[in-house]
Amino acid sequence: MVDKKDDKSAGQKLQDTLCLQNKDLGTIDADLLQKALPYAEDYKLFLRNKTEREIVDYTLPIVKKFGYKEFKLGTRYKPGDKVFYNNRGKNLILVTMGEKPVADGVRISVAHIDSPRLDFKPSPLFEADEMAYFKTHYYGGIKKYQWTAIPLSLHGVLVLNNGKTVKVRLGEEPGEPQFCVTDLLPHLAREQMTKPMNKAIDAEQLNVLVGCWPFKDDKASQKVKLNILDMLFKKYGIIEKDFLSAELCAVPSCKPMDLGFDGSMIIGYGQDDRVCAYSNLMAEIDTKDQEYTTITVFADKEETGSDGNTGMRSTFFRDFLEDFVSVYGAESRHVLQKSVCLSCDVNAAVDPAFPEVFEMNNCSFLNRGPVVSKYTGSRGKYSTNDASAETMGFLRRILDENKIPWQVGELGKVDIGGGGTIASEISVHNLDTVDMGVPVLSMHAPMEVVSKADVYMLYKAISAFYASAYVKD
Ligand code: MN
Ligand code: MN
């Protein structure tokens, strides 16, 4: 191949030197998709876990296989030691001890493992017109109309009166029944079709159809509901009252699949934010012989504001850190001041079908690599962690020196909408924090879309962050 470099005009050369270059990953490395394929296959297996509990259950045996031991209070861990902490089966904290003392600061990466879904109400089962349904209260920001007329599976746990926990996962395996929320036929939807999209389906219409066959009995009432309860009792040993002490939800039952003729993308449920959680996990497992101790956190309840004892506003993270560092005579507040945190979450990829909501200089594009978001929030930067120039510079240096293509990403045009991430919850610990993730199409829809090369490069980016020996200013 002829080197055309010298054919460049003075202006072109100057452009190369001075101008910000935005190239897609395929142009930078034509073989990258091929390299990303094995990683993408394993990622799709991870995605088959559709609740925070299932992700923790799936991850624990993996990290144990890679030498992670359960955290024991008062233990002095040595460089190279790998530790896990499980908070209520919904959070995981994974640690790889570095060469430097923890008092010098640590590298933290956080991603959330909860996703929008239809949670069941405490008393969900009812019968109407000889059909049985579960009432739901949606979890997270959804466009309600998207959740009708698609196959759903049921996931969760019930705690029985004898203290035993029953796990439910139904509709994921071949031959298992599916469920759905019904919608109105177009023929009778003339009025519904004139409503704004946020009114077309009411939250109380998001009832999951679970059966229509009556229990055989001449005298009993509500026989379809009775038949369902009879089946549930026989299969799981549960009675209707057990729903009162349960966490159950309906999620899309479709498996994650390759998308596009070129198989360059993945379509699947819950990629916000399991795409980042998986990249965090893989980078964490890989980490060895590094200078700084790494701490990888799986968070819950991000989609509903990070509240509760498993959300990032809970003290579980700070408490763990205190327990973990005190044995070295360090204070967690001093460790946090010297640490850097990646708040790993997805961002909105520019969608050519909706150019009006994106500002093309500052929004992220599919296939241009990990997206670094200096800030999120809305309406004049409310409710955001705004990463400092120093923190942005710190991350930029790591990514550039490791030749990891990356892009910036603001969530749409100013004042169009907006949204937040865990960054604003975790940075309150006086911790330098910046958002990084992958661009997603159809975010929060039942099936979301990502580029395999982006997913793979996020893993490379987090790995570089964990391996980096740069001292923070
Ligand atoms: Mn998210
Ligand atoms: Mn989200």
Side-chain angles (χ1 to χ4, degrees):
M1 218 152 99
V2 182
D3 187 1
K4 292 268 176 75
K5 238 181 202 164
D6 290 336
D7 295 346
K8 285 188 175 174
S9 70
Q12 282 174 317
K13 282 178 187 168
L14 205 57
Q15 271 174 339
D16 286 350
T17 316
L18 298 184
C19 295
L20 177 62
Q21 311 278 343
N22 287 317
K23 286 187 187 154
D24 71 278
L25 296 177
T27 304
I28 296 166
D29 179 359
D31 299 327
L32 188 61
L33 177 58
Q34 204 58 35
K35 291 179 204 162
L37 293 184
Y39 183 86
E41 288 307 306
D42 289 341
Y43 166 53
K44 282 190 283 182
L45 295 177
F46 185 77
L47 273 186
R48 289 187 178 203
N49 302 284
K50 296 182 176 177
T51 64
E52 55 282 357
R53 286 178 192 266
E54 288 180 5
I55 289 284
V56 170
D57 286 348
Y58 179 80
T59 305
L60 274 174
I62 295 175
V63 296
K64 283 179 187 167
K65 199 179 87 191
F66 282 97
Y68 287 76
K69 300 269 189 299
E70 185 157 23
F71 173 68
K72 285 211 171 56
L73 190 63
T75 311
R76 257 188 114 82
Y77 294 101
K78 307 180 304 296
D81 282 352
K82 288 181 175 272
V83 183
F84 74 85
Y85 171 76
N86 175 358
N87 184 39
R88 294 175 164 81
K90 296 181 177 187
N91 302 123
L92 265 190
I93 301 181
L94 305 167
V95 178
T96 304
M97 291 299 289
E99 299 289 334
K100 281 182 187 285
V102 289
D104 288 5
V106 298
R107 302 277 195 258
I108 302 165
S109 220
V110 187
H112 67 93
I113 52 173
D114 61 315
S115 295
R117 63 192 181 212
L118 302 179
D119 274 353
F120 291 4
K121 292 191 183 188
S123 177
L125 186 57
F126 74 98
E127 180 174 329
D129 303 332
E130 286 80 46
M131 289 177 285
Y133 295 89
F134 282 143
K135 296 270 344 157
T136 67
H137 188 145
Y138 62 98
Y139 173 96
I142 62 167
K143 291 163 113 176
K144 297 181 196 85
Y145 70 87
Q146 291 181 332
W147 291 71
T148 65
I150 58 167
L152 300 170
S153 59
L154 305 187
H155 295 245
V157 298
L158 301 99
V159 175
L160 311 189
N161 228 5
N162 61 10
K164 276 197 182 136
T165 300
V166 175
K167 288 187 185 180
V168 176
R169 192 173 188 272
L170 196 58
E172 292 290 337
E173 303 306 323
E176 287 183 351
Q178 315 269 315
F179 307 87
C180 84
V181 174
T182 55
D183 196 0
L184 200 53
L185 61 166
H187 317 63
L188 298 179
R190 191 179 295 167
E191 202 216 315
Q192 184 201 31
M193 302 276 264
T194 65
K195 290 181 181 176
M197 283 155 97
N198 63 351
K199 297 265 165 53
I201 295 289
D202 186 75
E204 293 292 352
Q205 289 174 322
L206 291 174
N207 301 321
V208 179
L209 180 59
V210 297
C212 74
W213 202 255
F215 187 82
K216 195 177 170 200
D217 186 287
D218 291 340
K219 293 180 180 166
S221 61
Q222 302 235 318
K223 286 186 278 188
V224 176
K225 176 181 166 179
L226 185 64
N227 197 37
I228 298 296
L229 282 171
D230 184 46
M231 294 180 80
L232 290 175
F233 184 71
K234 284 174 180 153
K235 187 172 169 68
Y236 298 107
I238 58 176
I239 61 172
E240 190 174 13
K241 202 169 185 184
D242 293 324
F243 285 115
L244 302 180
S245 48
E247 287 174 39
L248 292 162
C249 66
V251 299
S253 60
C254 289
K255 292 190 174 21
M257 293 171 280
D258 285 354
L259 184 72
F261 284 115
D262 53 12
S264 60
M265 294 166 283
I266 294 171
I267 182 165
Y269 165 70
Q271 302 203 71
D272 171 9
D273 183 35
R274 295 178 189 129
V275 65
C276 297
Y278 187 70
S279 299
N280 275 350
L281 173 66
M282 290 300 110
E284 166 62 45
I285 285 173
D286 278 0
T287 300
K288 59 173 185 191
D289 303 328
Q290 87 286 15
E291 291 290 311
Y292 289 94
T293 293
T294 63
I295 302 184
T296 301
V297 184
F298 282 1
D300 179 30
K301 295 284 181 284
E302 193 276 343
E303 296 295 358
T304 54
S306 296
D307 294 311
N309 57 3
T310 54
M312 277 320 280
R313 297 178 70 184
S314 152
T315 61
F316 82 88
F317 167 70
R318 188 70 183 256
D319 292 347
F320 168 81
L321 195 68
E322 226 157 274
D323 288 344
F324 170 62
V325 304
S326 58
V327 74
Y328 310 100
E331 295 281 355
S332 61
R333 64 179 185 277
H334 299 144
V335 175
L336 286 160
Q337 282 161 22
K338 292 188 174 173
S339 299
V340 186
C341 175
L342 293 181
S343 161
C344 292
D345 208 342
V346 296
N347 205 324
V350 169
D351 187 335
F354 306 96
E356 65 279 6
V357 301
F358 297 102
E359 191 268 283
M360 300 303 174
N361 269 348
N362 288 283
C363 289
S364 63
F365 292 79
L366 210 68
N367 242 2
R368 283 193 191 169
V371 44
V372 177
S373 305
K374 187 176 184 305
Y375 50 86
T376 57
S378 57
R379 298 168 288 108
K381 291 194 172 181
Y382 268 74
S383 309
T384 184
N385 161 65
D386 197 340
S388 67
E390 290 84 354
T391 308
M392 289 295 286
F394 178 84
L395 182 60
R396 173 187 167 191
R397 199 170 142 214
I398 292 173
L399 297 177
D400 287 353
E401 291 197 7
N402 285 280
K403 300 205 163 30
I404 293 163
W406 61 284
Q407 55 181 330
V408 292
E410 185 165 355
L411 186 63
K413 279 181 177 168
V414 181
D415 283 351
I416 283 279
T421 64
I422 276 167
S424 55
E425 312 299 340
I426 197 149
S427 56
V428 297
H429 298 288
N430 195 16
L431 171 61
D432 282 326
T433 305
V434 59
D435 272 295
M436 182 166 74
V438 300
V440 173
L441 291 166
S442 309
M443 195 198 294
H444 282 209
M447 298 293 272
E448 303 170 311
V449 174
V450 301
S451 141
K452 288 179 181 175
D454 285 336
V455 179
Y456 184 61
M457 288 317 284
L458 179 68
Y459 152 68
K460 292 283 179 192
I462 300 164
S463 298
F465 168 71
Y466 278 169
S468 155
Y470 292 149
V471 179
K472 189 173 70 119
D473 293 330

